[in-house]
C-alpha cells in the first residue's frame, strides 16, 4: 500500500505540470489586453502600460511566460494579481470558504443521496421509489444556476428560512448554497445507490445469508450496503473535485467569497496568474481525493490489494 501511494504521488507531479500548461495556454489565448481591461475607461500613459506589461511578463512569448511561471511555482510563488496581491494570499483566504461549502455539499450528497437510494432499492416500485426516480430526474434536468436563483428567492427571500447571500451567519449560511451545489450529485448518488443495492440484494450471498437466519438489518448494512458502496464511493470521491469547480456558479449566485468567486472575478479581469494558480490547486485536490478513494477500496473490500 505504501509503495502504491508513493507511486501515485510521484505521478501527480507530471499531471500537475501538464494541467498547468493547458490552463496557462487557455488563459493566454483569451482575447483582449488585460492591462487595458485593468484601466477600464481611464486612459493609461504609454509609460505606465509598458511598465505593467514588463512587470507581468506580458510582452514575452508564450513559452517564456510559462517557464517563468513554473520557475516561480516551484519556489512556492503563485504569482500576483494586477493589484500586486500574491495569489497565495488569495488562496489562503478563500480556500477555507470553498472547503466549508464543499463539505456541506458532500454531507448532503452522502446523507440524502445514499439514504434515498437505499430506501428506494429496498422498496422497489413503491411510491417512495417512484418519488426518488422522478425527483432525481428533475434535479438532473434543472441547471444549477436556475435552481440557485429559485431556491434563493423561495426559501431565502419569501419564506425566510435561510440567508440568501454572504457568510455572515456561519455554517448556517452554507446550508442553502451547499444544498444547491449538491443537488445534481445527490440525484446521481441516489440512482447509483439504488441500482447497486438492488443488484446486491438479488445476489446469491444474500440468499445464503437469509437461509442461515441472518437478521434483515444485518443483511442490509453489513452485506448488501457495504458491497454496494464501492461504485458510490468512486463517484463521490471524483465528485469532490467537480464540486470545487462547480462552486464557481454557486458562489457567484449566493455571493460567497470563495475560490469559485475568485476565479469568476479573475476571468473577468483577465488575471491569468490567479486563474492558473487556483485551477491548478483544484486539479491537485481532484487527484488527491481520487487517491483517497483508491485507498478506501481496500477498506470496503478486503479482496482488493495493491502491490
Amino acid at each position: 500500500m505504501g509503495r502504491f501511494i508513493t507511486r501515485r504521488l510521484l505521478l501527480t507531479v507530471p499531471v500537475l505540470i501538464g494541467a498547468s500548461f493547458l490552463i496557462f495556454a487557455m488563459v493566454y489565448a483569451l482575447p483582449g489586453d488585460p492591462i487595458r481591461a485593468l484601466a477600464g475607461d481611464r486612459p493609461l500613459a504609454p509609460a505606465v502600460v509598458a511598465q505593467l506589461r514588463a512587470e507581468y511578463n506580458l510582452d514575452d512569448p508564450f513559452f517564456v511566460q510559462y517557464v517563468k511561471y513554473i520557475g516561480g511555482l516551484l519556489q512556492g510563488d503563485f504569482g500576483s494579481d494586477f493589484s500586486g496581491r500574491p495569489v497565495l494570499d488569495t488562496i489562503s483566504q478563500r480556500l477555507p470558504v470553498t472547503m466549508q461549502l464543499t463539505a456541506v455539499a458532500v454531507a448532503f450528497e452522502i446523507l440524502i443521496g445514499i439514504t434515498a437510494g437505499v430506501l428506494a432499492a429496498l422498496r422497489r416500485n413503491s411510491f417512495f421509489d417512484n418519488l426518488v426516480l422522478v425527483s432525481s430526474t428533475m434535479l438532473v434536468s434543472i441547471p444549477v444556476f436556475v435552481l440557485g436563483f429559485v431556491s434563493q428567492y423561495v426559501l431565502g427571500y419569501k419564506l425566510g428560512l435561510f440567508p440568501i447571500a454572504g457568510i455572515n451567519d456561519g455554517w448556517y449560511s452554507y446550508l442553502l448554497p451547499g444544498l444547491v451545489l449538491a443537488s445534481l450529485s445527490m440525484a446521481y448518488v441516489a440512482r447509483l445507490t439504488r441500482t447497486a443495492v438492488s443488484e446486491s440484494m438479488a445476489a446469491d450471498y444474500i440468499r445464503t445469508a437469509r437461509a442461515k437466519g441472518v437478521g434483515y438489518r444485518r443483511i442490509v448494512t453489513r452485506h448488501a450496503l457495504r458491497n454496494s458502496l464501492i461504485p458510490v464511493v468512486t463517484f463521490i470521491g471524483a465528485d469532490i473535485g467537480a464540486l470545487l469547480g462547480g462552486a464557481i456558479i454557486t458562489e457567484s449566485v449566493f455571493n460567497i467569497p470563495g475560490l469559485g468567486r475568485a476565479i469568476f472575478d479573475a476571468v473577468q479581469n483577465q488575471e491569468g496568474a490567479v486563474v492558473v494558480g487556483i485551477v491548478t490547486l483544484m486539479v491537485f485536490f481532484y487527484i488527491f481525493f481520487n487517491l483517497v478513494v483508491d485507498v478506501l477500496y481496500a477498506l470496503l473490500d478486503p479482496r482488493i490489494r495493491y502491490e
Side-chain angles (χ1 to χ4, degrees):
M1 179 66 75
R3 286 181 295 182
F4 170 77
I5 294 176
T6 302
R7 185 167 63 251
R8 287 288 299 271
L9 290 176
L10 290 176
L11 289 175
T12 301
V13 177
V15 172
L16 287 177
I17 293 177
S20 66
F21 177 80
L22 293 176
I23 299 166
F24 198 94
M26 287 186 289
V27 173
Y28 184 86
L30 288 176
D33 187 351
I35 301 300
R36 300 295 182 186
L38 176 65
D41 296 332
R42 298 172 301 174
L44 290 178
V48 175
V49 174
Q51 179 183 354
L52 290 175
R53 295 188 66 85
E55 181 179 352
Y56 292 100
N57 305 314
L58 297 178
D59 289 327
D60 295 332
F62 166 73
F63 285 102
V64 175
Q65 291 187 37
Y66 180 71
V67 169
K68 289 182 178 180
Y69 177 78
I70 289 296
L73 195 63
L74 295 176
Q75 299 177 8
D77 182 13
F78 281 71
S80 59
D81 57 24
F82 292 140
S83 65
R85 183 183 185 184
V87 176
L88 198 58
D89 290 350
T90 301
I91 292 176
S92 62
Q93 179 184 357
R94 305 215 177 189
L95 178 60
V97 176
T98 298
M99 294 300 292
Q100 291 181 67
L101 177 61
T102 303
V104 172
V106 173
F108 279 124
E109 187 176 342
I110 294 174
L111 294 177
I112 299 179
I114 293 180
T115 302
V118 171
L119 294 178
L122 299 179
R123 303 174 183 178
R124 288 181 62 87
N125 300 322
S126 65
F127 172 78
F128 184 81
D129 184 23
N130 293 327
L131 179 62
V132 170
L133 293 178
V134 171
S135 58
S136 61
T137 302
M138 290 179 59
L139 288 177
V140 171
S141 304
I142 301 175
V144 175
F145 68 90
V146 174
L147 186 62
F149 282 121
V150 172
S151 62
Q152 190 180 44
Y153 178 75
V154 176
L155 299 178
Y157 178 70
K158 284 294 185 181
L159 300 180
L161 299 177
F162 301 97
I164 61 175
I167 56 173
N168 296 326
D169 295 306
W171 278 99
Y172 193 63
S173 303
Y174 294 95
L175 292 182
L176 186 57
L179 184 61
V180 171
L181 180 61
S183 59
L184 180 62
S185 301
M186 283 192 305
Y188 285 128
V189 168
R191 283 178 168 267
L192 187 60
T193 304
R194 176 185 178 275
T195 302
V197 173
S198 297
E199 293 176 353
S200 296
M201 292 298 291
D204 293 336
Y205 67 89
I206 296 295
R207 286 194 291 267
T208 302
R210 286 174 174 169
K212 290 182 178 180
V214 180
Y216 183 75
R217 179 176 297 180
R218 184 178 178 86
I219 288 176
V220 173
T221 57
R222 295 293 300 274
H223 297 283
L225 183 58
R226 183 174 181 179
N227 289 322
S228 303
L229 280 180
I230 290 182
V232 178
V233 168
T234 302
F235 176 82
I236 293 176
D239 191 55
I240 293 177
L243 289 176
L244 288 170
I248 297 176
I249 298 176
T250 307
E251 289 180 0
S252 299
V253 172
F254 290 91
N255 195 26
I256 295 178
L259 288 180
R261 182 61 184 270
I263 293 178
F264 181 80
D265 294 338
V267 170
Q268 284 189 319
N269 298 327
Q270 296 184 341
E271 294 180 336
V274 180
V275 177
V276 176
I278 295 178
V279 177
T280 303
L281 181 65
M282 289 182 174
V283 172
F284 170 77
F285 281 127
Y286 187 87
I287 297 172
F288 172 76
F289 285 114
N290 275 271
L291 175 60
V292 173
V293 168
D294 290 339
V295 174
L296 288 177
Y297 281 168
L299 299 178
L300 293 173
D301 191 346
R303 296 172 298 177
I304 298 178
R305 290 291 181 269
Y306 300 106
E307 299 179 356

